[in-house]
Amino acid sequence: MPISTKYQPAEIEEKWYQEWIKHQAFKSVPDDRPPYTITIPPPNVTGVLHMGHILNNTIQDVLIRRKRMQGFNACWVPGTDHASIATEAKVVKMLREKGIGKRDLSREAFLAHAFEWKEKYGGIILEQLKKMGASCDWDRTSFTMDPEYSESVIQVFCDLFDKGYIYRGYRMVNWDPEAQTAVSDEEVIHKETQGKLYYVRYAIEGESGTFVTIATTRPETILGDTAIAVHPEDERYLHLKGKKAIVPLINRAIPIIQDDYLDPEFGTGCLKVTPAHDTNDYEIGQRHKLESIDIFNPNGTVSEAGQLYIGQDRFVVRKQIVRDLEVAGHLVKTEDYTNSVGYSERTDAVIEPRLSLQWFLKMKELSQPALDAVLEGRVNLIPGKFINTYRHWMENVKDWCLSRQLWWGHQIPAYYIKGDEDNYVVGRTTEEALQKAIEKTGDTSLTAKDLIQDEDVLDTWGSSWLWPISVFNGLTDPDNEEINYYYPTNDLVTAPEILFFWVARMVIAGLEYMDEVPFKNVYLTGIVRDEKGRKMSKSLGNSPDVFRMMELYGADGVRVGVLLTSPAGNDLKFDTPLVLPPGAEPESKLCEQGRNFANKLWNATRLVKGWEADPNGTISTVERQAIEWMESRLAEAAAELEGQFDKFRISEALMTVYKLAWDDFCSWFLEMMKPARNTQISTEALEAVISCYERLLQFVHPFMPFVTEEIWQLLRDRSPGEFLCTDQMPEMGAPDSNVLKEVELIKVTISALRKFRLEKQIPNKEAIDLFIKQGSSTTVFEAYSDMLGKFLNTSSITLVDEQPEGSGSLRVGKHEFFVPVEVDVEAERAKILQDIDYLQGFLTKVDKKLSNERFVQNAPEAVVAKEHQKKADTEAKLKVLHDNLSRIS
């Protein structure tokens, strides 16, 4: 098969991915092989591929491809999450552009538009994942609102309600005024924000000219104040006990209360209490039975309960009320103030704490088994530093707000009887709910029309926490073949920021419904950051165009680039410049290194394919030694990789493969095997080269699937449907440690003598006589004399007892070599004296350490022994140098 002079990644990537799909190379069905299962963290249906996805999914693909080649029944389940808030926002925007308001439509009509949008745009990111080589079983693609998946979500809600875990009540929630829905604590991003601290005075009821001053960052909430609080031991305010203050501008009398929550050192030591708009104020209000006045509409404008500024946005009101307070003489002063402000992760709107009627899941009891699973090691978090984070979250878990005020999602299966929100039943279907309503009320005349289903939908995580179970229909079809075969899954690869509100909840669901954890290992990736250390995101515009990156460097190059510096849990600082001149292409040294690696393998292939085989030729000593060494290196690397993958040290595994391929295989082995100009290689030797290359490609393939598949196909004639990605890695024996040591010594010697040639300006084409000083292990050089001769162009290799006249000396470890050269005696003397001076200084430091009794007595025995070995080695080197100095003096 002809091979092009240049590797063309674009055409090769498209070709092989289509072939893999055509022949169902990634398809998995239960059989008698051991399963290896990964379920993809389902990206939002609104998502597009960015560098974070590249990192996360490359790691998953590396794991799944390797296991597939190791003989496991590898199953990587893809899919998307319906992403309630993000998707509804997209659909609302689309409708708005058409002049249609959400509330102009019925729920059914809106959902029809939403599903139409999902069908048109929702699979974009999955198609993009194929471009980077993701080897998912695409026939298994799941969506969290697929009918059967939705059925399992509703089933779990009903079950948890029946068990008493789900309840409905008024609680303080995080409210997103733009999306007009509650969001979870984990969906709130706190940002340091420069603001103001406003000092406002409140008159004391019935006391002319007497005031109390509070400090607040949110003066607009004064409209909802229902108390002033002070610390019970704050002597400054003891005289106010039992009195009332007057709320500025609206003149409402409110009690002055005492509460231990107060920090006398903050602000003035007085706190305005607004129970409807602050979590801590709400707790104070509960303790003191205070009225809660909700002054905001769902969209963040002031409601009629606020009495003033009705219909105006909260931030407009903030500016206006400050002016009005100042005019009225209530504003004492303002100060610059840095405050942590919560923003919605989905819309970037400032979160408004709001007292709201919602559905909640009691978490404390459900969470304990999931905490135990991690602490006992049944779920392994990698890196282990996240165990404490996980424990802290789980030990301080709050009830989960399940409801969202949206239409896109799983509608909560609660039904209000005749519209009475205090009288409801929960059922999987309207028919089941009707039966429960009749049983509850005793009214047999009730019909489905008498039931009104709750309009809210479930939090998106209320479906994705069932992902490892529901993708195999484990709830709707219990004990089916697939759930029994694939569950529990093996490894989960995800980001640390969703450790609690996805990973932990999946563990909870797995234990509750399968009596088994959903996965054994959780590999937590780092965050991909730009050169300024900022998280790459669409909103910041600091993520490179990943498809242009793949066009420039190839998908394999980008995969290698993103993995080169991404150990588990540590952030990856990606090196693409943020600001590029007009028309300039994105650059990445990391991806360039990946592209160069692909080119190195390509050029190695061209070299091997250019060799002509002689079926009558015999294998040479050098070739036999090279093959023995390469086979041992492959076996050694296989063991290294096994240990690295077991510990999820993916970057280290990549470097092991990189060095094995670039240094050992390309730079050394192929040079050892390369036939002389105008000669042929024996068929036996060429077969050994191809066999070793195939083994190497198996190691590289998980990291670089496209170029390795192309090369593997070029090395031999293959049948249709025969792929490297499904080729089984053979069992490898133990490496020959003696061969590895011997060839390593030969390699070091060759490199040192090549450098010596360069320094002494001896042309490579000039044959040299090489002399080796007799020693206990010089038999190695005798055994590998042909290899030394091939690399060093020697005319003879001779063992000697003394340095021949007119030769230069070179040491490699404890071995000494001599090459005839014109010796500059003075320069040689200066060099030896310089080396003696350096080694003498080093020996002095070692002696000082060994003369320190505290070090000798307290340091580990191995450390002390190492220092003694350093001393002995240095003294031996000094003796040789002094002997050489004597010879030339």
Side-chain angles (χ1 to χ4, degrees):
M1 185 184 295
I3 180 168
S4 63
T5 56
K6 187 177 180 182
Y7 177 57
Q8 303 288 351
E11 59 189 54
I12 286 171
E13 290 165 6
E14 179 67 22
K15 175 182 70 175
W16 287 117
Y17 205 89
Q18 292 306 317
E19 284 294 305
W20 291 333
I21 296 299
K22 175 183 175 182
H23 292 278
Q24 297 188 318
F26 311 142
K27 187 170 181 60
S28 173
V29 293
D31 58 26
D32 57 357
R33 290 175 295 167
Y36 176 79
T37 314
I38 294 179
T39 55
I40 200 170
N44 286 353
V45 73
T46 60
V48 292
L49 202 65
H50 56 64
M51 291 309 299
H53 292 126
I54 293 285
L55 171 63
N56 183 284
N57 288 281
T58 296
I59 291 170
Q60 291 179 78
D61 197 44
V62 168
L63 295 174
I64 206 83
R65 284 180 181 274
R66 185 167 184 273
K67 288 295 185 180
R68 189 179 288 121
M69 295 169 73
Q70 287 182 318
F72 288 82
N73 188 344
C75 179
W76 185 10
V77 181
T80 50
D81 187 283
H82 64 278
S84 293
I85 298 175
T87 305
E88 182 147 327
K90 293 273 189 183
V91 176
V92 168
K93 181 181 177 182
M94 176 195 72
L95 291 171
R96 190 185 300 127
E97 290 170 353
K98 296 179 179 179
I100 304 171
K102 173 184 171 182
R103 294 292 171 178
D104 296 336
L105 301 172
S106 67
R107 186 185 193 115
E108 291 72 21
F110 176 83
L111 289 176
H113 282 289
F115 274 106
E116 181 182 343
W117 185 94
K118 180 260 177 186
E119 289 304 314
K120 186 173 182 180
Y121 300 105
I124 289 176
I125 193 167
L126 299 183
E127 291 303 311
Q128 292 173 333
L129 285 173
K130 296 175 184 178
K131 296 291 185 184
M132 57 150 285
S135 59
C136 302
D137 182 349
W138 297 106
D139 291 341
R140 293 182 173 276
T141 302
S142 290
F143 176 53
T144 50
M145 282 181 63
D146 284 339
E148 194 154 7
Y149 198 113
S150 294
E151 185 181 339
S152 68
V153 173
I154 299 305
Q155 177 181 324
V156 166
F157 185 98
C158 295
D159 178 69
L160 291 171
F161 178 83
D162 291 342
K163 289 175 179 175
Y165 287 118
I166 288 179
Y167 65 94
R168 187 168 180 261
Y170 276 98
R171 295 277 296 273
M172 186 65 67
V173 298
N174 301 302
W175 186 262
D176 181 337
E178 184 171 326
Q180 296 190 39
T181 180
V183 297
S184 67
D185 288 345
E186 294 78 21
E187 292 168 306
V188 177
I189 299 173
H190 291 275
K191 304 177 186 178
E192 292 296 312
T193 305
Q194 295 299 317
K196 298 285 185 182
L197 192 60
Y198 302 91
Y199 289 80
V200 181
R201 64 180 191 173
Y202 290 56
I204 303 302
E205 185 181 46
E207 298 185 12
S208 178
T210 306
F211 300 91
V212 63
T213 300
I214 61 91
T216 181
T217 59
R218 305 182 67 209
E220 66 276 12
T221 62
I222 285 173
L223 304 176
D225 287 351
T226 57
I228 295 290
V230 297
H231 194 278
E233 297 177 5
D234 192 333
E235 295 183 357
R236 294 173 296 174
Y237 302 115
L238 292 178
H239 66 286
L240 296 177
K241 184 176 181 181
K243 296 184 178 182
K244 292 187 175 182
I246 305 298
V247 178
L249 302 183
I250 58 174
N251 300 319
R252 181 169 62 242
I254 57 175
I256 298 174
I257 61 175
Q258 296 179 324
D259 195 280
D260 290 336
Y261 168 77
L262 269 292
D263 178 5
E265 302 299 320
F266 177 76
T268 64
C270 290
L271 177 74
K272 59 183 285 301
V273 183
T274 315
H277 298 291
D278 183 274
T279 303
N280 295 315
D281 289 9
Y282 174 72
E283 297 297 332
I284 294 173
Q286 291 291 99
R287 288 195 291 272
H288 296 272
K289 296 181 173 54
L290 298 177
E291 180 186 7
S292 289
I293 303 175
D294 184 354
I295 65 165
F296 291 128
N297 293 312
N299 65 355
T301 59
V302 175
S303 68
E304 291 186 2
Q307 300 184 41
L308 303 174
Y309 318 111
I310 297 169
Q312 296 183 43
D313 182 80
R314 54 191 169 149
F315 295 117
V316 173
V317 171
R318 178 176 298 179
K319 294 178 181 179
Q320 184 60 49
I321 198 171
V322 169
R323 290 193 288 267
D324 292 345
L325 287 168
E326 186 173 19
V327 170
H330 292 290
L331 186 64
V332 177
K333 63 177 180 177
T334 63
E335 293 177 351
D336 291 333
Y337 187 71
T338 302
N339 195 20
S340 179
V341 177
Y343 289 77
S344 170
E345 182 184 38
R346 302 301 181 194
T347 66
D348 204 38
V350 174
I351 289 296
E352 187 65 48
R354 188 175 189 225
L355 191 62
S356 181
L357 182 62
Q358 304 284 347
W359 291 90
F360 295 90
L361 174 62
K362 298 175 185 177
M363 292 291 285
K364 194 69 177 175
E365 184 180 340
L366 285 169
S367 296
Q368 189 59 49
L371 173 58
D372 294 340
V374 168
L375 297 182
E376 294 168 3
R378 285 180 285 135
V379 174
N380 183 30
L381 300 186
I382 303 151
K385 67 181 182 181
F386 286 107
I387 294 174
N388 286 334
T389 305
Y390 181 91
R391 176 166 52 195
H392 175 76
W393 278 337
M394 298 296 272
E395 288 177 346
N396 296 278
V397 67
K398 297 177 182 178
D399 287 356
W400 178 4
C401 178
L402 290 171
S403 44
R404 298 291 182 266
Q405 288 61 57
L406 303 165
W407 280 353
W408 175 249
H410 300 99
Q411 191 171 356
I412 287 176
Y415 298 80
Y416 303 107
I417 303 171
K418 295 185 176 180
D420 181 359
E421 290 200 358
D422 293 325
N423 191 18
Y424 58 85
V425 292
V426 170
R428 300 183 192 184
T429 62
T430 305
E431 292 73 19
E432 182 179 308
L434 177 60
Q435 185 60 40
K436 287 186 175 182
I438 292 171
E439 292 172 2
K440 182 177 182 179
T441 63
D443 185 355
T444 57
S445 67
L446 290 176
T447 68
K449 294 180 180 180
D450 295 314
L451 302 182
I452 299 175
Q453 188 172 356
D454 194 307
E455 285 204 350
D456 290 354
V457 298
L458 273 173
D459 174 18
T460 297
W461 302 104
S463 54
S464 58
W465 75 322
L466 306 177
W467 186 249
I469 306 171
S470 293
V471 294
F472 300 116
N473 300 327
L475 294 166
T476 55
D477 185 13
D479 209 32
N480 73 72
E481 181 186 21
E482 294 208 336
I483 194 70
N484 289 338
Y485 182 74
Y486 292 115
Y487 189 95
T489 66
N490 296 81
D491 300 325
L492 176 73
V493 181
T494 189
E497 59 260 34
I498 57 174
L499 176 58
F500 176 68
F501 63 119
W502 188 47
V503 177
R505 287 170 178 167
M506 282 191 288
V507 179
I508 292 171
L511 291 169
E512 179 70 16
Y513 289 103
M514 300 299 296
D515 199 29
E516 178 62 270
V517 296
F519 28 69
K520 298 167 186 174
N521 300 298
V522 180
Y523 180 99
L524 296 157
T525 68
I527 296 170
V528 183
R529 298 189 180 276
D530 65 22
E531 59 186 6
K532 291 184 178 179
R534 301 176 302 174
K535 179 179 178 180
M536 285 189 173
S537 68
K538 287 190 297 181
S539 60
L540 286 176
N542 62 344
S543 181
D545 181 341
V546 295
F547 296 102
R548 187 60 189 139
M549 297 284 285
M550 285 193 276
E551 287 175 8
L552 292 171
Y553 300 106
D556 289 329
V558 174
R559 287 167 64 112
V560 169
V562 80
L563 286 180
L564 279 172
T565 55
S566 57
N570 291 337
D571 293 352
L572 163 63
K573 202 168 184 179
F574 205 65
D575 63 343
T576 305
L578 300 180
V579 181
L580 293 171
E585 298 285 11
E587 299 176 359
S588 168
K589 293 295 183 185
L590 294 171
C591 293
E592 184 179 2
Q593 189 174 349
R595 180 179 63 189
N596 291 345
F597 187 22
N599 288 335
K600 184 74 171 178
L601 294 171
W602 189 254
N603 289 331
T605 308
R606 291 180 60 222
L607 177 68
V608 173
K609 292 293 288 182
W611 294 345
E612 292 184 9
D614 178 3
N616 299 316
T618 56
I619 195 164
S620 70
T621 301
V622 172
E623 290 168 341
R624 183 171 289 106
Q625 289 171 334
I627 293 164
E628 289 176 355
W629 168 70
M630 194 66 229
E631 288 177 343
S632 279
R633 271 299 290 126
L634 289 165
E636 182 182 46
E640 290 175 13
L641 288 169
E642 193 67 32
Q644 288 161 342
F645 273 101
D646 283 348
K647 296 175 182 177
F648 288 85
R649 292 177 175 168
I650 310 298
S651 293
E652 289 182 24
L654 172 57
M655 287 312 301
T656 294
V657 166
Y658 183 93
K659 291 175 182 176
L660 175 70
W662 193 294
D663 298 337
D664 294 324
F665 187 83
C666 295
S667 298
W668 285 103
F669 178 62
L670 293 185
E671 287 300 311
M672 293 174 185
M673 301 299 294
K674 184 178 179 181
R677 184 184 296 273
N678 299 323
T679 63
Q680 295 179 320
I681 187 173
S682 70
T683 300
E684 182 183 357
L686 182 57
E687 173 59 32
V689 170
I690 291 173
S691 178
C692 287
Y693 203 176
E694 288 174 323
R695 190 73 53 83
L696 173 67
L697 291 171
Q698 289 179 323
F699 294 162
V700 182
H701 177 78
F703 302 100
M704 305 179 77
F706 294 110
V707 68
T708 52
E709 184 72 70
E710 176 73 4
I711 292 171
W712 191 80
Q713 299 285 343
L714 289 170
L715 291 178
R716 299 184 195 275
D717 291 331
R718 312 284 182 182
S719 302
E722 186 180 2
F723 300 119
L724 171 60
C725 68
T726 53
D727 191 42
Q728 299 301 289
M729 293 183 180
E731 290 291 330
M732 301 192 72
D736 188 323
S737 58
N738 289 328
V739 167
L740 291 172
K741 289 177 184 176
E742 290 168 356
V743 175
E744 188 60 32
L745 175 58
I746 297 301
K747 286 166 57 188
V748 171
T749 301
I750 290 169
S751 296
L753 285 165
R754 280 177 165 176
K755 183 180 178 183
F756 182 86
R757 261 184 178 270
L758 186 65
E759 290 174 349
K760 303 302 181 183
Q761 298 181 349
I762 305 173
N764 290 330
K765 64 181 180 180
E766 182 180 318
I768 59 171
D769 293 319
L770 178 63
F771 298 93
I772 307 173
K773 189 171 183 179
Q774 289 273 15
S776 58
S777 57
T778 49
T779 52
V780 173
F781 301 112
E782 291 181 283
Y784 288 88
S785 60
D786 289 351
M787 189 175 290
L788 289 171
K790 180 172 183 174
F791 277 88
L792 296 172
N793 187 17
T794 61
S795 52
S796 66
I797 298 177
T798 310
L799 299 181
V800 296
D801 293 320
E802 297 294 337
Q803 180 174 4
E805 291 289 335
S807 66
S809 169
L810 171 71
R811 287 193 62 82
V812 178
K814 62 183 179 179
H815 304 286
E816 191 169 13
F817 302 85
F818 311 107
V819 178
V821 293
E822 292 185 13
V823 179
D824 183 336
V825 175
E826 290 305 317
E828 190 77 9
R829 185 198 306 276
K831 178 67 169 62
I832 292 172
L833 288 172
Q834 183 182 10
D835 290 346
I836 288 173
D837 185 56
Y838 169 78
L839 288 173
Q840 195 61 58
F842 181 77
L843 184 61
T844 300
K845 291 179 182 178
V846 175
D847 282 336
K848 184 177 180 181
K849 187 177 285 189
L850 289 173
S851 65
N852 185 333
E853 291 185 10
R854 180 177 295 180
F855 168 76
V856 174
Q857 292 174 1
N858 297 329
E861 186 177 333
V863 173
V864 176
K866 190 173 182 180
E867 292 302 316
H868 279 294
Q869 186 61 51
K870 286 180 185 178
K871 177 180 172 67
D873 290 345
T874 305
E875 288 173 339
K877 290 176 183 178
L878 281 168
K879 183 179 184 306
V880 171
L881 288 171
H882 283 296
D883 289 345
N884 290 344
L885 186 63
S886 299
R887 283 200 297 269
I888 65 172
S889 297

